[in-house]
Amino acid sequence: MLKKIYKAIKKYDTIVIARHIGVDPDAMASQIALKESILLTFPKKCVLAVGTGGAKFSYLGALDKLEDIDFSKSLLIVLDTPDKKRVDSTEIDSFAYKIKIDHHPFVEEFCNLELIEDTKSSACQLVLELLYQTKLKRNQSIIEKLFIGLVSDTNRFLFNSDSSLFSFVSKILKEYSLDLPHLYQQLYMRPLHEVRLQGYIEQNMKVTENGVGYLILTSDVISKFSADVGSAGNMVNNFNYIDEILVWLMISEDKKNEIIKINIRSRGPVINTVAEKYHGGGHKFASGARVTTMEEAELLIHDLDRVCDRYIQDMEGVEE
Ligand code: AMP
């Protein structure tokens, strides 16, 4: 499969690299690193990394505008996105050939060639494998970006139990001298107002009977802390390992887009099947959803509570 992807990259002079809406470091690092690698290998190609960016991730590089290309002669590579509706790009169907490279559970087929490995840590790990197993070239800057993406998606290797990833990281560290403190600083540096918002969440989080921790962040609260919906939702990553909490979620009101964005995490119960009921999806233990009313958000909390209840009962059954 990796060789087939390489052949397609070699064949097309114009290549567009897209990823999911709601950019995150893994999605953006994988697309910019792949773009740099293709240009390093084939300097004459036109390669565009597209989608809405975020000032927060500008250290990963700049994104391109999708213009002045003949889609019917171009290759589209979609990274880190299991379904067509979440691709942050237009004209998907106009491309001559489409490739998907993803580590989410399968949702739907919408590309000619699909590399889906949901046991892999990140889109960046899949791009790394592509670079190491084909003739695509790599350099320090490309490897640094891919390292940042995989560190981000594994939460500094917290969620990774795959020995092949550790072997890969060891190989990279032998080959390139990465300044890890500097890279971590780029990824994790945040303004004081975000830390204050985290404190607010810690103080006000509610917990249901069966261990669902949640907080509704209204637009007013988000503005009071000078945060935005994206950074408020990202706080969800900071609440692992709390005795009383098995599943936790941030419910952020996005008044401008008339939507309520929900970020969900779990340290046991499977949550993506619940997220799917609420216009969402994702991984077993890291999912997201979108609803339009607080009543729907409450139903989602209720469903998650039931999932936790079943999980607790199953665990008690195992212990007996
Ligand atoms: P996040 O909380 O935004 O970091 O998302 C966690 C995981 O859930 C990622 O794999 C996302 O791609 C996925 N995800 C988030 N929101 C949605 C959604 N509305 N629909 C499908 N998948 C989602």
Side-chain angles (χ1 to χ4, degrees):
M1 179 71 95
L2 294 175
K3 302 267 180 289
K4 278 189 186 164
I5 295 175
Y6 176 77
K7 268 192 185 166
I9 290 173
K10 196 170 166 193
K11 178 173 165 191
Y12 288 90
D13 291 334
T14 305
I15 301 170
V16 173
I17 307 174
R19 41 76 192 157
H20 59 76
I21 50 172
V23 66
D24 62 33
D26 180 40
M28 186 152 159
S30 60
Q31 76 176 151
I32 299 216
L34 181 58
K35 171 186 164 175
E36 285 182 9
S37 169
I38 296 173
L39 286 175
L40 190 65
T41 319
F42 305 104
K44 290 189 182 143
K45 287 189 193 286
C46 165
V47 187
L48 305 175
V50 301
T52 311
K56 225 178 173 175
F57 307 132
S58 55
Y59 62 85
L60 290 171
L63 290 162
D64 305 298
K65 288 217 160 58
L66 186 58
E67 55 192 14
D68 294 338
I69 66 160
D70 181 351
F71 295 107
S72 68
K73 290 187 180 145
S74 307
L75 167 68
L76 174 70
I77 303 178
V78 177
L79 296 170
D80 202 29
T81 317
D83 50 348
K84 195 164 148 186
K85 72 174 186 312
R86 289 195 27 98
V87 179
D88 191 348
S89 173
T90 50
E91 312 282 350
I92 299 173
D93 291 322
S94 319
F95 283 85
Y97 196 72
K98 298 189 284 284
I99 295 174
K100 181 206 281 182
I101 301 176
D102 187 29
H103 75 122
H104 289 88
F106 175 80
V107 176
E108 66 172 346
E109 189 176 321
F110 62 93
C111 292
N112 307 85
L113 195 60
E114 301 210 336
L115 172 67
I116 303 166
E117 295 202 34
D118 65 5
T119 56
K120 294 291 161 74
S121 68
S122 52
C124 282
Q125 184 179 353
L126 292 173
V127 172
L128 266 171
E129 290 178 3
L130 179 67
L131 266 52
Y132 274 83
Q133 287 175 38
T134 66
K135 289 180 187 154
L136 280 176
K137 292 184 181 165
R138 51 187 190 263
N139 62 20
Q140 175 93 13
S141 150
I142 291 167
I143 294 297
E144 279 178 359
K145 289 181 177 82
L146 293 171
F147 183 81
I148 286 179
L150 68 86
V151 163
S152 171
D153 246 36
T154 59
N155 204 355
R156 267 171 292 170
F157 305 105
L158 201 61
F159 308 136
N160 178 63
S161 51
D162 168 16
S163 66
S164 74
L165 177 64
F166 287 114
S167 309
F168 224 125
V169 171
S170 160
K171 195 163 150 169
I172 290 168
L173 293 176
K174 277 181 202 143
E175 202 175 325
Y176 296 91
S177 72
L178 301 187
D179 181 351
L180 298 191
H182 174 66
L183 298 182
Y184 285 129
Q185 188 163 311
Q186 286 185 321
L187 182 58
Y188 292 114
M189 207 66 180
R190 59 207 173 133
L192 183 59
H193 63 79
E194 276 188 19
V195 182
R196 295 205 199 283
L197 174 59
Q198 186 176 318
Y200 172 85
I201 296 170
E202 285 161 1
Q203 292 289 337
N204 293 285
M205 188 181 257
K206 295 197 171 77
V207 185
T208 66
E209 197 185 333
N210 294 299
V212 177
Y214 66 96
L215 192 70
I216 296 172
L217 294 166
T218 60
S219 283
D220 289 346
V221 168
I222 295 171
S223 331
K224 188 175 144 207
F225 286 94
S226 315
D228 55 61
V229 176
S231 54
N234 262 336
M235 299 274 165
V236 78
N237 292 316
N238 301 340
F239 295 94
N240 214 331
Y241 304 123
I242 300 175
D243 267 341
E244 292 81 355
I245 295 176
L246 275 172
V247 165
W248 59 102
L249 57 154
M250 289 298 116
I251 301 164
S252 317
E253 185 188 21
D254 181 350
K255 251 194 186 152
K256 199 173 107 199
N257 295 308
E258 295 180 350
I259 203 117
I260 298 164
K261 204 172 164 255
I262 305 184
N263 304 71
I264 321 167
R265 299 292 184 267
S266 166
R267 60 180 177 87
V270 172
I271 51 175
N272 56 353
T273 41
V274 178
E276 280 161 18
K277 267 179 72 184
Y278 296 88
H279 318 287
H283 304 281
K284 273 188 194 166
F285 306 126
S287 304
R290 268 157 200 253
V291 295
T292 46
T293 64
M294 283 302 167
E295 286 73 33
E296 268 184 290
E298 268 157 31
L299 286 174
L300 168 62
I301 296 168
H302 176 71
D303 282 355
L304 289 171
D305 187 67
R306 285 179 45 201
V307 165
C308 286
D309 184 19
R310 268 200 303 276
Y311 178 82
I312 294 165
Q313 286 180 30
D314 289 350
M315 295 310 277
E316 282 169 358
V318 170
E319 277 163 20
E320 273 165 20

